[in-house]
Amino acid sequence: MSVNKVSRRLRIKRSIRNKISGTSARPRLSVFRSNKAIYAQLIDDTTGKTLAAASSAKLDGVTNANISVSNQVGKEIGAKALEMGISQVVFDRSGYLYHGNVKSLAEGAREAGLKF
């Protein structure tokens, strides 16, 4: 990835984070994507704490994050949120485009019962 693409994504991420914030009643669902894995966290920005997390790196037998694995991670974070009594979240795609793995993770969270 070139420096311009990285700086562009970080600029977009900062802009998005200035507009959205999670609370304890409606936490922020943050997505991070690397070349090998995809991660999701439920974050309460008022206290600065991570409430729950899920990643494809912790799934058994998974080496790369493809669309089906991203969907599983979304379902896992959705199940953890529902166990904690959280049904609504604010979706933070962290500057990534809403397609592919990010979209699949969001759809998996919705299938688990989360509302954006």
Side-chain angles (χ1 to χ4, degrees):
M1 206 188 298
S2 71
V3 175
N4 288 337
K5 280 189 176 182
V6 172
S7 63
R8 179 181 177 275
R9 190 188 72 77
L10 291 176
R11 203 171 50 245
I12 292 170
K13 180 180 178 178
R14 269 184 270 140
S15 174
I16 291 170
R17 281 291 293 122
N18 287 335
K19 296 175 186 173
I20 64 171
S21 180
T23 63
S24 57
R26 189 172 179 183
R28 178 170 53 100
L29 175 59
S30 178
V31 176
F32 175 72
R33 182 178 62 118
S34 71
N35 289 336
K36 293 186 177 183
I38 189 159
Y39 305 87
Q41 293 181 329
L42 288 175
I43 303 169
D44 179 4
D45 290 318
T46 56
T47 60
K49 293 188 178 182
T50 300
L51 305 174
S55 74
S56 62
K58 293 185 179 181
L59 295 176
D60 293 332
V62 175
T63 57
N64 285 334
N66 56 25
I67 291 177
S68 63
V69 171
S70 297
N71 196 302
Q72 289 176 352
V73 172
K75 288 179 182 178
E76 183 179 340
I77 195 74
K80 286 181 180 181
L82 291 177
E83 285 176 11
M84 298 173 64
I86 299 168
S87 62
Q88 288 191 337
V89 295
V90 178
F91 189 65
D92 177 10
R93 56 186 174 84
S94 299
Y96 298 111
L97 295 177
Y98 188 77
H99 73 91
N101 287 339
V102 176
K103 182 179 178 182
S104 179
L105 187 140
E107 289 172 352
R110 282 190 187 107
E111 289 172 14
L114 284 182
K115 294 179 183 159
F116 295 13

